[in-house]
Amino acid sequence: MGDTSLSEVQVSVIIPAYNAGRYIASTLQSVTGQTHANLEILIIDDGSTDETPDICRRIAADDPRIRIISMGNRGVAAARNIGIEASTSDYIAFVDADDLWHPSYVETLLSALHPLPPDWGAVYALHRIIDSEGYCTRASSGLSARGTVLARHLIFRFVGNGSGLMIRRAVYDEIGGYDSAYAEHGIGGCEDLDYELRVAEAFKIEAVPLGLVGYRIHSAAMSSDSSRMARSLLAVYEGAIARNLQLPRWVVDCALASVHLYAFSKFIAAKNWKNAANSLKQIFRFSPRLAGIVFFGLILSKLRRAARRAWSKLVTTKNNLMKFEQVDPQAPLGGGLSSFRTEKLLKRLSEVDRALDISHHQRRSEMSFTNNAPLGNGDPFAL
């Protein structure tokens, strides 16, 4: 990508913020403290009614890289889009106002993406779950994939939050911004996944398999509304499948089983029994084996949950947890393999992604796969 030194490459950081007064200062500290200092930092205040604007103004007064843009409350997608439009850099990174970045986040992702050809449009990092006080409570699965990743990302959702993606501006120029229609229909929450899938449909994506993002789980977070998150994800998959009719039927089955498994867990958490039952029915339709695992898992779940809580009270204290900034980014994440025979499934999906990549390079508008079974036939998890 030319002779430009990496330190000379500016990166725009988009931070949508709505009533984030409790966390915005620590988020900004993690952004302004990046080892890659050439940043344009745009805070999009999405109609906050708490102290968020005042905190941002105080911090911005000491850092000329920060700009604050105020708007009426329209949701995270609209806020990100306004930030992109106001930005000037060729690289754009997103972080939510309650999440954290490791100090090397921007430098590491930019180093991975910048040397690649233009058809590599984005790069992502993995994450660790942090609590309201910034302590790491668990890590993401550790699974990642690079290149043409559409089929694999549909099933495994590698990024898992809105704070782990960096794109080239060319991506926005080609596919546009985040879809604000989710919030307008009352199902905001998974706009980040929708965007990742749309990026994956048009570009290759690089992966940095390190836990460089601190993804905060707390009661005020958008992701804490379990029922809305479930409905949001189902809508994302409905759109993604409709846009990608070239996908093999077994991949569609697999994706639908995966998304209904997520929705089932969220509906159960929200005590939305009717929708939970419907999701379980859909899981059985697309993967009887997976449905059986879920059913028997339910029988044991209360006992397991009680045991975990008891054990947690004995061994989990702040003394044996680490703050996100204290964790070595090279430290292993989760194992990534599950009872769903992930390794074989990833291999099969990789073959589909390779075919999609070949099709893309040949500029075919459609791609055919042989031996496509009717929708719902077979069991993608019975490998």
Side-chain angles (χ1 to χ4, degrees), residues 262-284:
Y262 174 90
F264 175 78
S265 68
K266 290 297 183 180
F267 286 136
I268 287 290
K271 294 182 171 57
N272 187 334
W273 310 119
K274 180 179 179 181
N275 284 339
N278 182 64
S279 279
L280 184 58
K281 178 181 177 181
Q282 295 303 317
I283 295 169
F284 184 82

Side-chain angles (χ1 to χ4, degrees), residues 166-184:
M166 178 188 291
I167 65 170
R168 299 186 196 268
R169 178 168 296 278
V171 170
Y172 178 73
D173 293 340
E174 179 166 334
I175 72 170
Y178 288 78
D179 191 345
S180 60
Y182 291 98
E184 293 166 3

Side-chain angles (χ1 to χ4, degrees), residues 179-351:
D179 191 345
S180 60
Y182 291 98
E184 293 166 3
H185 288 86
I187 53 171
C190 292
E191 295 93 334
D192 48 352
L193 177 61
D194 174 82
Y195 197 67
E196 293 156 17
L197 290 170
R198 286 163 49 211
V199 173
E201 291 164 13
F203 293 89
K204 294 180 181 178
I205 299 178
E206 180 59 289
V208 174
L210 300 174
L212 300 178
V213 176
Y215 175 40
R216 197 185 304 269
I217 302 294
H218 58 96
S219 59
M222 181 183 295
S223 58
S224 66
D225 188 334
S226 298
S227 183
R228 183 178 64 185
M229 288 293 291
R231 290 182 288 119
S232 182
L233 190 65
L234 290 169
V236 166
Y237 272 66
E238 180 180 348
I241 290 169
R243 290 192 306 269
N244 293 281
L245 299 177
Q246 78 277 22
L247 288 170
R249 299 289 174 80
W250 73 265
V251 174
V252 172
D253 283 3
C254 194
L256 290 172
S258 170
V259 71
H260 277 289
L261 176 61
Y262 174 90
F264 175 78
S265 68
K266 290 297 183 180
F267 286 136
I268 287 290
K271 294 182 171 57
N272 187 334
W273 310 119
K274 180 179 179 181
N275 284 339
N278 182 64
S279 279
L280 184 58
K281 178 181 177 181
Q282 295 303 317
I283 295 169
F284 184 82
R285 175 189 176 194
F286 296 110
S287 175
R289 179 178 183 273
L290 180 57
I293 292 171
V294 171
F295 179 77
F296 287 109
L298 276 175
I299 297 174
L300 299 174
S301 63
K302 288 188 177 181
L303 290 175
R304 289 175 175 171
R305 192 177 298 116
R308 282 197 301 267
R309 286 174 180 169
W311 179 250
S312 178
K313 290 179 180 179
L314 291 174
V315 303
T316 304
T317 68
K318 299 302 182 187
N319 292 330
N320 55 32
L321 292 177
M322 297 179 67
K323 285 291 189 79
F324 175 72
E325 59 270 20
Q326 298 173 322
V327 176
D328 182 352
Q330 300 289 336
L333 298 170
L337 298 181
S338 73
S339 60
F340 302 155
R341 304 185 185 181
T342 308
E343 195 169 11
K344 286 186 177 181
L345 181 56
L346 269 173
K347 184 176 179 180
R348 290 186 67 190
L349 292 167
S350 296
E351 294 170 358

Side-chain angles (χ1 to χ4, degrees), residues 21-38:
R22 182 176 179 184
Y23 304 111
I24 187 64
S26 59
T27 297
L28 284 172
Q29 183 179 15
S30 80
V31 173
T32 58
Q34 289 292 300
T35 56
H36 184 91
N38 194 354

